Amino acid sequence: CSCSSRLLAGGPGGNGGDGAPPAPKQAPAAKLAPAAEPAPKPAPVPRSPGATTIVLLTKEFHCRPADVWDALTHPGRVQAFTRAPATIECRPGGAHKLFGGAVDAAFTEVDAPNRMALSWRFREWPEGATSRVVLTLAEPSAGRTVATMTQTGVPTTDRLGNGGVAASCEAGWREQIFGRLRAVFGYGC
């Protein structure tokens, strides 16, 4: 982080840096009757805990959609690429918990191997904040899968009021989910 400042006034007996002599001292002003109180300053706008945003990510894999689907829906395979405990119950209403419970989600739609939708929540999010994840898998050519993930309702701040939640979500999908799928199972392009 860089910071710059500029000296705007000289020190005692000095000038303002413009070569002009110091301003003459003025006599103290006469006391006047108290002025009307200044208008109150507007209150700062609080960060709305209900504000949300969208995360959209598209990745390609060298495999069939069924391969990506299996890697995302079979508990042993999920644990292999996340390297953490996972609970996966691939059915509407079934649990989808990743990274030892840091992600607490549930399947809302299952259309194997083309589309899944989940209610999705991170442990750090404000109480009651849940997003919707829709993941579609398409095969535009044989052995090439395009995964499109749309996550709506992502809170703009975490439970402590810190911003950057959408960027963290995007990085998590890109690196911890899709990146690891490609590396661990050899689906990289």
Side-chain angles (χ1 to χ4, degrees), residues 42-143:
V45 178
R47 290 184 180 176
S48 170
T52 63
T53 190
I54 298 171
V55 176
L56 177 63
L57 191 63
T58 300
K59 287 291 180 190
E60 290 188 24
F61 299 93
H62 285 310
C63 62
R64 299 170 299 127
D67 297 325
V68 175
W69 182 273
D70 289 345
L72 292 170
T73 59
H74 289 252
R77 299 195 80 176
V78 171
Q79 290 179 41
F81 78 82
T82 63
R83 299 179 190 174
T87 301
I88 309 293
E89 300 167 350
C90 188
R91 59 178 168 71
H96 188 276
K97 297 179 189 281
L98 301 176
F99 304 106
V103 172
D104 186 4
F107 288 95
T108 58
E109 298 174 35
V110 175
D111 180 16
N114 305 307
R115 175 184 161 95
M116 67 175 74
L118 305 103
S119 64
W120 188 279
R121 154 174 190 76
F122 282 97
R123 182 177 14 224
E124 302 88 25
W125 287 2
E127 190 63 36
T130 303
S131 67
R132 176 176 166 79
V133 170
V134 176
L135 178 67
T136 59
L137 303 173
E139 190 172 19
S141 59

